[in-house]
Amino acid sequence: MVINTYIDDNLNKTNTDNMSSWYLLQCKPREETRASENLENQGFTTFLPEISIAKKTKVGFTETEAPLFPGYLFIKLNNEVDNCAPIRSTRGVNKLVSFGQTAAV
């Protein structure tokens, strides 16, 4: 397996805005891409790391992209500006991963 070389530019930048953090979302089964697209359409910044895998078919092997962390997606939120309510109702999103009442950062 080869890890996809795509890395979101926002992950490489130093965080000058201390109010923004990356959070983890649990997605519905096999709907990571749908959730990412829907969140980006709403103006959120998301990161879905993918890997290239070879799948066996009747003809031979084909290369496909698959999520590195199946069922999960990263989202960048500003604690003071962003509202979490639309995230929970987005198609493909199951929940914001949290420990008790505190969201996992």
Side-chain angles (χ1 to χ4, degrees):
M1 290 187 207
V2 178
I3 294 178
N4 191 351
T5 58
Y6 170 78
I7 297 176
D8 186 10
D9 291 335
N10 291 320
L11 290 177
N12 290 330
K13 293 179 184 175
T14 56
N15 192 1
T16 56
D17 181 11
N18 291 335
M19 297 299 140
S20 294
S21 299
W22 287 96
Y23 293 90
L24 186 63
L25 293 176
Q26 183 180 26
C27 300
K28 294 179 181 174
R30 294 172 300 282
E31 292 195 14
E32 299 90 353
T33 305
R34 171 188 267 184
S36 178
E37 290 172 357
N38 289 331
L39 289 166
E40 287 176 359
N41 287 341
Q42 294 176 42
F44 293 104
T45 303
T46 63
F47 179 61
L48 178 61
E50 295 181 327
I51 57 172
S52 295
I53 59 171
K55 286 192 173 184
K56 187 175 180 181
T57 62
K58 292 179 181 179
V59 180
F61 287 93
T62 60
E63 289 264 333
T64 60
E65 297 290 318
L68 184 60
F69 306 109
Y72 294 95
L73 170 71
F74 296 94
I75 185 168
K76 189 172 190 178
L77 297 174
N78 185 323
N79 298 340
E80 294 184 359
V81 177
D82 291 328
N83 183 3
C84 291
I87 295 171
R88 290 188 299 257
S89 62
T90 301
R91 288 183 67 127
V93 174
N94 193 11
K95 66 178 181 176
L96 185 66
V97 175
S98 62
F99 300 105
Q101 297 295 330
T102 307
V105 180

